[in-house]
Amino acid sequence: MLYSEKVFRSAASPAPPLASLPVNVQSIVSRVVDPMQPAVVTLGKMEVGTRFNVIAENGHIEETVRIFDTRTRDKVEEYLKHYAE
């Protein structure tokens, strides 16, 4: 997923919204997915900006999703898009 300044137009920096994403993604698996259906969503890498003292224009997250059931996958994809927007 790429989060650009277009997405966070009202935010001064994309860092705070990106920092809240892992908590929201964890709640998808714990509260939305049927406990009998295996689902793993991993946010493996998050990059925001290029310098330590400059407000970033964009942020980038790399995620991995492992799900066997197609209905569960569709539901998780829907929620990921919701939280990304």
Side-chain angles (χ1 to χ4, degrees):
M1 288 187 239
L2 178 63
Y3 302 90
S4 66
E5 76 179 292
K6 175 183 161 193
V7 174
F8 297 110
R9 198 172 298 173
S10 64
S13 168
L18 283 176
S20 69
L21 194 62
V23 174
N24 294 330
V25 168
Q26 189 276 334
S27 70
I28 295 171
V29 175
S30 66
R31 297 183 182 257
V32 175
V33 175
D34 179 359
M36 300 307 290
Q37 294 293 330
V40 177
V41 179
T42 303
L43 300 179
K45 182 178 181 181
M46 182 182 345
E47 292 179 350
V48 181
T50 57
R51 302 283 301 172
F52 71 93
N53 62 344
V54 177
I55 295 175
E57 292 181 9
N58 56 41
H60 179 80
I61 290 182
E62 294 179 9
E63 82 280 343
T64 304
V65 179
R66 294 184 187 101
I67 300 170
F68 296 114
D69 183 54
T70 56
R71 286 179 292 177
T72 303
R73 184 189 66 227
D74 293 341
K75 190 183 292 187
V76 168
E77 183 178 359
E78 174 187 338
Y79 276 85
L80 282 172
K81 286 180 182 178
H82 169 75
Y83 287 128
E85 294 173 351

